[in-house]
Amino acid sequence: MASLTPQVTTPAVPGTAPVRPGRPRRPRVWRGLVLLLAAVYFLVPLIASFVFTVKAPDQGFSLDAYGEIFSAEGFAGSLLLSLGLGAATIVIVLLLTLPAVVAVRLGAPRWRPVLEVVCTLPLVVPPITFVAGISTVLRWGPDYLASTPFYQTIIAVQDPGFPIVLVLAYVVLALPFAYRSLDAGLGAIDVRTLSEAARNLGASWPHVLLRVIVPNMRSAMAGASFLTLALVLGEFTIARLLSFQTFPVWIYTISGAHAQVSVAVSVFSLLITWLLLLALSSAGARQRSGS
């Protein structure tokens, strides 16, 4: 006759999960290693650039290079031009991309792959090829349009004070990044239910887009705006080959005569970009926590 051995059970403490036997957790050292490698990859060039800007050959440590940034010739004009081009590019990209993404998701889901391919296509075209086509059009435009009303238009878009042709080129380059950000933000909300509820209450489609969808897309729009602004502030090839004095072109121009000042401006612009990224990230986090 088998003997019955009473089983002793440990009473569970209220509010705690039962302890289950299993393999002990391994310390995930690889995460720290990856973060360390990433920090070294990004910080070492930045630190080296900063040391180059503050180390004078005969004076030792000096911050004169950073003091000369705001007084350097062409700094304010080129920076304001790039910021203006960035603002215009952001407005046009959002006006083109946001309604298209919403319309395709609500009315024609089958066209979504087509829109994705069209918006992603600028990543395939090299910038040098892109600017070669633009410069070709700008060269033959005045000759072929001299007797038409479009002659003044082709001249106006090349105004060095505010080159609209750069805005159009930057819109094309920013489409992939803006589309990805807006499409991800639109996928995070139930846009169909929101739009149908607003329509049942008598709202028009412009009202639905501006008062219902856009407030729920602020984080995605902020991300698209930041990526577009970062692209404009860092774009060099198109502006250089079209002979426009944007901020990156100005940095390259002064690098020969004022190497320390040009590197100091690069460090300064990189820090400003990081601050913008942190501000947009914190704004998005506050919006998510508030909602």
Side-chain angles (χ1 to χ4, degrees):
M1 184 175 181
S3 60
L4 299 178
T5 304
Q7 297 180 355
V8 180
T9 59
T10 304
V13 180
T16 59
V19 179
R20 296 181 180 179
R23 293 186 300 177
R25 292 185 178 180
R26 298 179 180 178
R28 299 182 178 179
V29 183
W30 60 271
R31 288 188 176 181
L33 181 61
V34 170
L35 292 177
L36 179 61
L37 292 177
V40 170
Y41 180 80
F42 287 105
L43 293 179
V44 167
L46 182 61
I47 295 174
S49 300
F50 178 75
V51 171
F52 174 76
T53 58
V54 299
K55 187 177 180 181
D58 52 350
Q59 299 178 358
F61 182 84
S62 175
L63 294 175
D64 293 341
Y66 291 92
E68 296 177 6
I69 291 178
F70 302 100
S71 60
E73 182 180 359
F75 169 76
S78 60
L79 180 58
L80 292 177
L81 176 60
S82 292
L83 292 177
L85 294 174
T89 305
I90 289 172
V91 173
I92 296 177
V93 165
L94 293 180
L95 290 178
L96 289 177
T97 312
L98 183 58
V101 173
V102 173
V104 168
R105 187 174 288 269
L106 292 179
R110 295 182 179 180
W111 287 92
R112 184 180 176 186
V114 178
L115 180 63
E116 183 175 0
V117 170
V118 171
C119 292
T120 314
L121 194 60
L123 294 176
V124 183
V125 181
I128 188 65
T129 305
F130 184 50
V131 71
I134 295 176
S135 60
T136 302
V137 173
L138 295 179
R139 280 198 305 269
W140 65 256
D143 297 334
Y144 288 90
L145 302 176
S147 59
T148 64
F150 296 100
Y151 176 76
Q152 294 298 329
T153 302
I154 199 69
I155 299 299
V157 298
Q158 304 178 62
D159 183 11
F162 191 82
I164 302 177
V165 63
L166 284 185
V167 176
L168 300 178
Y170 293 158
V171 166
V172 176
L173 294 180
L175 275 179
F177 309 102
Y179 171 78
R180 288 297 183 185
S181 179
L182 295 177
D183 185 68
L186 202 62
I189 61 175
D190 192 354
V191 62
R192 185 174 297 276
T193 301
L194 290 175
S195 59
E196 289 179 354
R199 291 288 292 170
N200 291 335
L201 294 175
S204 60
W205 279 115
H207 185 88
V208 172
L209 180 63
L210 297 177
R211 301 296 299 273
V212 178
I213 298 178
V214 168
N216 290 280
M217 293 281 293
R218 290 176 181 173
S219 297
M221 293 173 63
S225 301
F226 169 77
L227 293 175
T228 302
L229 181 61
L231 184 145
V232 173
L233 291 179
E235 201 286 320
F236 172 80
T237 305
I238 297 178
R240 174 64 176 174
L241 294 179
L242 294 181
S243 302
F244 294 115
Q245 190 78 4
T246 59
F247 191 55
V249 176
W250 177 80
I251 295 177
Y252 171 79
T253 303
I254 68 169
S255 61
H258 305 280
Q260 282 188 320
V261 177
S262 66
V263 177
V265 172
S266 300
V267 175
F268 176 76
S269 62
L270 183 60
L271 293 178
I272 291 297
T273 304
W274 282 0
L275 291 177
L276 289 174
L277 176 60
L278 292 176
L280 291 174
S281 300
S282 61
R286 285 196 301 268
Q287 181 189 1
R288 288 191 296 268
S289 61
S291 59

